[in-house]
């Protein structure tokens, strides 16, 4: 073999063993996370892997370990900023641990479609599943399936069996409603998300709790669909009455559409009506007026999901994380009344 062909050859497990000064069986044990490997031996092997840029044959490893080194992501939130950000974080965290990610996006969330998607991921031999499907019916299906792989959820539903990692939606909604109350608003409307969505119900609950605790009047929530178009429609309709002083929209897109509708129909934000959102999408800080909202660390949510799932896959104790609390971001769209 020529020097050039030697340099071009993909390094093998035996090359790693020679450089680390160990047997190829030891390298295999390190790759398969065998508990008997001493820390100093593991460090030498990992250094050799890094120097050689060795990439293990995942298919061969799967035959030995019964693992595919693949995580599944089941998502029913196509296009939503938060879940999309969490998926990026999940992919980054999985890649750092030597895992790939297979994502299934559900456009149909009927029980049949959900069951089919889970079975497809199981057929792909994923080692675990992260669920980003915030509809209550998804959990009803998962509870009845006796899934053969572990899963964690970024949302929660009453009686769900998965571990929940999302930021406290109820607390976030309470916080932003209390902010409006502190500014002197008493007639506060809520532009809610769709029925059956866990986040929509949690945010509506926080809004209602804050009004109740402050002895403020409550109003029937206006059910939306998360889109800026619906927010604009609501702004147009609400401009005809303006018997309120503030609106808390369940996400930023509806809040931005709402402000657009108010502006087009002569309602000034925040002079006439204060508007607040939820999620802190990047554009929230750049609309006019800039949007008061609730910030969530979606990257940390994704990272924690992978850590939790891999611990269960490896038979380790699941890490215990402190509560992931949302943060209030006060901007120009809210003012004193």
């Amino acid at each position: 073999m020529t020097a050039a062909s030697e340099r071009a050859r993909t390094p093998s497990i035996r090359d790693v063993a020679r450089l680390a000064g160990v047997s190829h069986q030891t390298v295999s044990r390190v790759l398969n996370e065998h508990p008997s490997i001493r820390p100093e031996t593991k460090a030498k092997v990992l250094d050799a892997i890094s120097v050689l840029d060795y990439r293990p044959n995942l298919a061969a490893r799967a035959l030995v370990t019964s693992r595919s080194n693949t995580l599944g992501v089941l998502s029913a939130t196509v296009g939503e900023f938060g879940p999309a950000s969490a998926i990026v974080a999940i992919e980054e965290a999985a890649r750092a641990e030597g895992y790939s990610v297979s994502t299934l996006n559900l456009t149909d969330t009927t029980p049949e479609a959900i069951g089919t998607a889970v079975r497809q991921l199981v057929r792909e031999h994923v080692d675990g599943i992260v669920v980003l499907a915030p509809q209550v019916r998804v959990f009803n299906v998962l509870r009845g399936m006796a899934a053969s792989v572990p899963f964690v959820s970024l949302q929660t539903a009453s009686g769900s069996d998965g571990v929940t990692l999302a930021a406290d939606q109820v607390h976030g909604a309470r916080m932003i409603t209390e902010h409006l109350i502190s500014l002197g608003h008493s007639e506060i409307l809520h532009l809610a998300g769709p029925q059956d969505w866990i986040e929509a119900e949690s945010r509506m609950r926080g809004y209602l709790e804050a009004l109740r605790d402050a002895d403020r009047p409550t109003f029937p929530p206006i059910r939306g669909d998360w889109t800026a178009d619906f927010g604009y429609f609501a702004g147009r309709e609400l401009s005809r009455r303006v018997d309120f002083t503030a609106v808390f929209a369940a996400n930023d897109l509806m809040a931005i559409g709402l402000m657009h509708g108010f502006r087009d129909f002569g309602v000034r934000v925040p002079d006439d009506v204060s508007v607040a959102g939820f999620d802190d999408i990047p554009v929230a800080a750049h609309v006019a007026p800039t949007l008061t909202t609730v910030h969530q660390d979606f990257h940390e949510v994704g990272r924690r999901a992978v850590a939790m799932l891999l611990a269960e896959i490896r038979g380790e104790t699941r890490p215990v994380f402190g509560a992931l609390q949302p943060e209030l971001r006060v901007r120009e769209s809210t003012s004193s009344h």
Side-chain angles (χ1 to χ4, degrees):
M1 181 178 290
T2 67
S5 61
E6 178 67 25
R7 283 193 302 269
R9 181 173 64 84
T10 301
S12 70
I13 192 171
R14 294 183 184 277
D15 295 324
V16 174
R18 278 196 296 271
L19 183 59
V22 299
S23 69
H24 71 273
Q25 292 93 339
T26 297
V27 176
S28 178
R29 292 190 187 100
V30 170
L31 291 172
N32 294 319
E33 301 173 5
H34 197 282
S36 67
I37 298 296
R38 291 181 298 176
E40 56 270 26
T41 302
K42 181 177 180 180
K44 287 195 298 184
V45 171
L46 293 178
D47 285 344
I49 287 172
S50 177
V51 168
L52 295 172
D53 194 24
Y54 170 68
R55 303 181 187 280
N57 185 325
L58 296 182
R61 285 181 64 186
L63 292 175
V64 175
T65 64
S66 298
R67 296 182 191 166
S68 65
N69 282 73
T70 302
L71 302 181
V73 173
L74 182 64
S75 176
T77 54
V78 179
E80 290 290 316
F81 169 76
S85 301
I87 289 174
V88 170
I90 289 166
E91 291 173 345
E92 290 176 353
R95 197 160 48 241
E97 294 287 343
Y99 278 73
S100 59
V101 173
S102 176
T103 302
L104 273 181
N105 290 305
L106 290 174
T107 55
D108 178 3
T109 54
T110 61
E112 294 77 16
I114 297 163
T116 298
V118 172
R119 286 188 290 272
Q120 180 177 332
L121 289 173
V122 171
R123 283 196 301 272
E124 293 178 11
H125 302 290
V126 299
D127 297 329
I129 299 173
V130 182
V131 181
L132 291 87
Q135 297 88 350
V136 174
R137 58 184 172 276
V138 173
F139 289 92
N140 294 337
V141 174
L142 289 172
R143 278 200 298 269
M145 285 193 66
S148 58
V149 295
F151 78 92
V152 296
S153 168
L154 270 62
Q155 289 85 22
T156 187
S158 178
S160 65
D161 299 321
V163 174
T164 303
L165 299 167
D168 189 335
Q169 307 292 302
V170 175
H171 175 68
R174 283 190 64 111
M175 186 165 49
I176 203 156
T177 307
E178 288 167 354
H179 167 68
L180 293 170
I181 293 169
S182 73
L183 294 174
H185 296 281
S186 57
E187 291 80 27
I188 304 170
L189 302 185
H190 182 45
L191 188 54
Q195 280 189 317
D196 191 49
W197 282 65
I198 296 161
E199 291 174 340
E201 298 304 314
S202 297
R203 294 172 191 181
M204 183 167 62
R205 177 181 154 199
Y207 156 79
L208 292 171
E209 287 181 358
L211 291 179
R212 179 200 64 202
D213 292 349
D215 197 26
R216 295 294 196 276
T218 59
F219 304 90
I222 302 164
R223 286 286 185 180
D225 62 3
W226 300 126
T227 67
D229 284 344
F230 185 88
Y232 182 85
F233 168 80
R236 184 186 70 188
E237 296 302 306
L238 291 172
S239 296
R240 299 173 179 173
R241 38 182 279 207
V242 196
D243 54 353
F244 52 91
T245 63
V247 182
F248 161 41
N251 76 336
D252 289 345
L253 284 178
M254 289 195 296
I256 290 169
L258 183 72
M259 291 196 298
H260 184 191
F262 281 157
R263 183 171 66 248
D264 279 2
F265 291 89
V267 177
R268 298 169 301 165
V269 176
D271 297 348
D272 300 324
V273 176
S274 286
V275 173
F278 203 110
D279 282 338
D280 196 21
I281 63 176
V283 75
H286 302 286
V287 294
T290 55
L291 180 64
T292 295
T293 186
V294 175
H295 176 81
Q296 302 186 79
D297 190 344
F298 295 110
H299 189 276
E300 177 63 11
V301 170
R303 188 193 70 78
R304 290 182 175 192
V306 171
M308 287 284 240
L309 198 53
L310 291 186
E312 182 162 341
I313 290 168
R314 295 165 176 168
E316 301 168 352
T317 302
R318 281 183 162 183
V320 177
F321 297 112
L324 187 58
Q325 295 297 335
E327 300 173 8
L328 179 64
R329 297 287 168 87
V330 178
R331 299 192 180 109
E332 299 167 350
S333 66
T334 54
S335 67
S336 299
H337 177 67

